[in-house]
Amino acid sequence: MIKLLIASAVIALIASVLLTPLMTKKREDGKSRKVIVYFFIMAFVLGFLATGITLYVTKIDVNWLVFWPVLIVLTAVGAFLASGIERKVKGILFLASLAVAIYVLSAPLWNANDKFKSADMKAEVEIKPFDETQTPASVPPKFARNKMKKAFGQVPNTSYYELGRLQIQKVNGEYVYIAPVEFSGFFRWMNGHTTPGYFTMSATDSADNPKFVAQEMKYIPSAYLNTNLERHIRLQHPFLIFYGDVQLEVDDEGKPYYIRSYGDFISARNGFDVKGIVLVDALTGKSEMLTLDKIPAFIDGAVSPETVSLQNSYFGKYVNGFWNSMFGKKDVKLPSDEGTESNVSPIFDEHGEMYYFTDFTSPKEGVDSMLGYSLTNARTGEATYYTGNLDASYMDSQGNLQIIEKKFIEKKWFGEMPVLYNFYGEASWLTAVLDSNGFLQNYFIVSAANPEISVYATTPKEALKLYKTALSRGGSTVEGSSHVEEKNASGKVLRVYKERLGDYTVVSFLLDNGENYLISAETEPLAIYLQQGDEVIVKYGETGEQFLPVRSLMIKGLQ
């Protein structure tokens, strides 16, 4: 608060100097000088109050360029009231303020290259294949939020509160959704002062039930006056430039913190380049400013999704400058708006690192072909752009959602949270399918290069098994996009396991060469007769997975 008062006083002093005619000739009765002094004091007091109230209410940063409209007015009025050399000086200041206005307003026209450089990404072809022993964080946030609302009865004094913003993160090695309990209005805040805690729910298991965690919080987004979180951060850091909403992060002991990304403008007051976070203890309000290389290990989303979405737009639009983004649009690509958080979707890699996923499409209307996709590290802000197999045309997220809509048109189900994975060497969309009430119905996987290859099941694990067999029976169709090497093997069957998935039986077996194989009875109907001790010859795809997809199977003595 002291920093805000000092800043308000300095700004008010400058405004008083600009407005007051300081060099007016002294009259014999001395009244003119007194009038000037009174005018100066009044201008200072009014300026101090106006500035302080404006900064307190709007929570805007104290950067001198934010006051450029006020500078024009002050210098114009000051020049009009002044005389002689003072009028000339303030006239020059008026012209300078106009130049500042032009500089600020025209920044988007000439800083496009700087924006692109700030968001530039290293390029690769494809992401690493997904580890089938892992479970993707595939529970859609809308479904998780619905379940949390139904579990809201766990909260003490339920009528005081409402569910806050959902945030995904890793806690104690588990991927979970976190949602704070927020005040439902001003009078609830007046009576409660603090909120009782937050909800947590698995992001990988849709059958998990939300759990309420009792952790008192005082500095939160729905509080008022000085305990309002954004205002609390601004009062302690009045000069920092923030972008994006505050986010809740929980450490491995369950203690809640709020973070907000800060950075620099690209130029003037335009653009944003992230530099670090402000970390706030949700109970005590103690804050700490940290650069991105000093982020605590429990923080997953240091870079706000809004910042990543902005950087994606820079990378896609300004590859050849501002005017090209408006007219020629050479090499321009538009980031998708199908993400779950500010047009991006948070996902985790095999090491537990969080990334924001976005696919890019053509600016041409009616085209659902994907031009590439990006993954941005949520802790460091470093991004990689994946071109995909240039010999194949990948379907974008919008095309994927349209397939789901047509697939379940009678049930009126829809897809949410489409994310592109590398499943068994094939670029594939994994999407949660929800009904009209927001309840999770199944998981849909479709090849990005071959949309005719698609499966769905009630869990991601089941869908992956079905998808592997679907790829194996796709034969040469899949080979064109995945470039999986086809090999032959033979030997004695040591173990056999059969299970029913969808309309077909899936057979898993172990040969005496130590390799595991997987085949669907849809591909080879006689596979249902496979038993321990059989001699077989198999043709399979070398995907590097634990269970290799078989494309043909011959059982000696049976075929």
Side-chain angles (χ1 to χ4, degrees), residues 1-9 48 235-236 238:
M1 191 70 176
I2 295 176
K3 293 179 181 178
L4 182 142
L5 294 175
I6 293 174
S8 300
F48 177 79
L235 291 177
Q236 296 193 50

Side-chain angles (χ1 to χ4, degrees), residues 61-86:
D61 58 276
V62 185
N63 179 295
W64 75 274
L65 284 177
V66 76
F67 300 104
W68 67 264
V70 180
L71 279 175
I72 293 176
V73 175
L74 292 177
T75 53
V77 174
F80 175 77
L81 295 177
S83 60
I85 188 67
E86 183 182 3

Side-chain angles (χ1 to χ4, degrees), residues 248-430:
L248 179 66
E249 293 273 353
V250 176
D251 66 15
D252 288 341
E253 284 70 46
K255 184 175 176 58
Y257 295 85
Y258 274 99
I259 64 170
R260 195 175 192 191
S261 300
Y262 76 85
D264 297 328
F265 292 120
I266 299 297
S267 56
R269 288 189 61 81
N270 187 257
F272 182 77
D273 188 21
V274 64
K275 298 298 181 184
I277 65 167
V278 170
L279 177 69
V280 181
D281 186 310
L283 178 60
T284 66
K286 180 182 178 181
S287 70
E288 186 177 3
M289 193 172 75
L290 301 166
T291 56
L292 290 178
D293 59 342
K294 300 290 179 63
I295 303 298
F298 73 88
I299 300 294
D300 292 304
V303 181
S304 68
E306 293 87 355
T307 297
V308 175
S309 183
L310 186 68
Q311 291 175 338
N312 286 335
S313 69
Y314 293 162
F315 179 77
K317 288 176 60 178
Y318 299 133
V319 59
N320 288 310
F322 175 80
W323 295 112
N324 178 72
S325 71
M326 298 295 292
F327 301 106
K329 298 188 177 181
K330 179 183 177 182
D331 298 326
V332 168
K333 40 193 174 286
L334 300 180
S336 166
D337 59 358
E338 300 297 341
T340 58
E341 295 185 21
S342 300
N343 299 332
V344 297
S345 294
I347 62 174
F348 292 86
D349 68 2
E350 66 274 17
H351 305 297
E353 286 279 330
M354 192 168 92
Y355 288 80
Y356 292 112
F357 167 82
T358 310
D359 65 300
F360 291 78
T361 189
S362 171
K364 187 175 180 179
E365 292 185 10
V367 176
D368 61 3
S369 178
M370 185 175 67
L371 300 180
Y373 55 99
S374 69
L375 289 177
T376 303
N377 190 297
R379 282 175 57 86
T380 66
E382 296 178 357
T384 302
Y385 181 74
Y386 297 89
T387 61
N389 182 3
L390 298 177
D391 295 331
S393 178
Y394 287 175
M395 171 179 59
D396 65 11
S397 58
Q398 186 61 44
N400 165 56
L401 294 176
Q402 289 173 357
I403 287 178
I404 294 174
E405 185 177 348
K406 292 176 182 177
K407 186 80 173 179
F408 304 104
I409 190 169
E410 293 183 358
K411 297 181 178 180
K412 296 182 180 180
W413 292 355
F414 62 94
E416 185 177 281
M417 201 171 74
V419 177
L420 194 74
Y421 288 91
N422 184 341
F423 290 141
Y424 316 114
E426 181 81 359
S428 313
W429 288 103
L430 171 64

